Amino acid sequence: MAADAWTAERLFSAHFQPMYPDDLRSDRSALVAARSTDANPAKNPRFLAELDEIASVFTRMAPTVLGQDLVLDRTDASVHRLGAALDRKVRDALIEGQSLVPFVIHGAIYVGAGIVASHGGTWGVRRPLWESVVTLESRAGRGDLSPFAWFLKSLADAEIDRDGLSARYRAHVERTTARPEDLPPIVTE
């Protein structure tokens, strides 16, 4: 891969890492620890309300940034519409216009809010807030999902033309929570 290729790691180090608190920026092990430490052990509802507001802001900002209304209503279908809209042209315009950071931060929180709203996930607040995870219980088990990491990976050159956000969402959210027994029969006897 070319040295100037946009990898998830390069997107992170060039655009996001400079915004992290000093202790997380300079100490890799501190960043790893912060990603797995609950920043809201008292379950303060203010943080959850802030995450919800960030997702709402994204629903208002996305049509202007993307040049189309994706009908962002926190459903699975809206995450797929968002994923399909994220192409190389959009990514490069976000980087050029210096709006990549707010778009990704708000978009990642939006995806997490969709998992909470549509699949009963629960927020795991992290520091900084955009690193927050969504814990999802399913027949496959329990997992902490990182919409921020998904967003960065989906914007990397290796995935930008393959709708990686939708693929991850489908694999880690929709398939794990699917209940085929609740679907109507295809053939009746």
Side-chain angles (χ1 to χ4, degrees), residues 34 59 61:
T59 64
M61 77 185 273

Side-chain angles (χ1 to χ4, degrees), residues 32-106:
V32 170
R35 287 178 170 160
S36 60
T37 302
D38 186 355
N40 187 24
K43 305 299 181 217
N44 184 332
R46 181 182 72 91
F47 291 109
L48 303 179
E50 193 168 326
L51 288 164
D52 190 61
E53 177 57 24
I54 292 167
S56 295
V57 167
F58 185 75
T59 64
R60 295 189 301 270
M61 77 185 273
T64 302
V65 173
L66 297 171
Q68 59 180 316
D69 186 359
L70 302 176
V71 188
L72 297 175
D73 55 5
R74 299 185 191 193
T75 61
D76 296 341
S78 74
V79 174
H80 290 290
R81 289 188 296 271
L82 174 60
L86 299 176
D87 60 19
R88 191 175 303 270
K89 181 180 174 186
V90 167
R91 187 222 33 215
D92 293 347
L94 289 168
I95 291 170
E96 283 295 317
Q98 299 183 332
S99 53
L100 179 74
V101 171
F103 184 83
V104 170
I105 289 172
H106 286 77

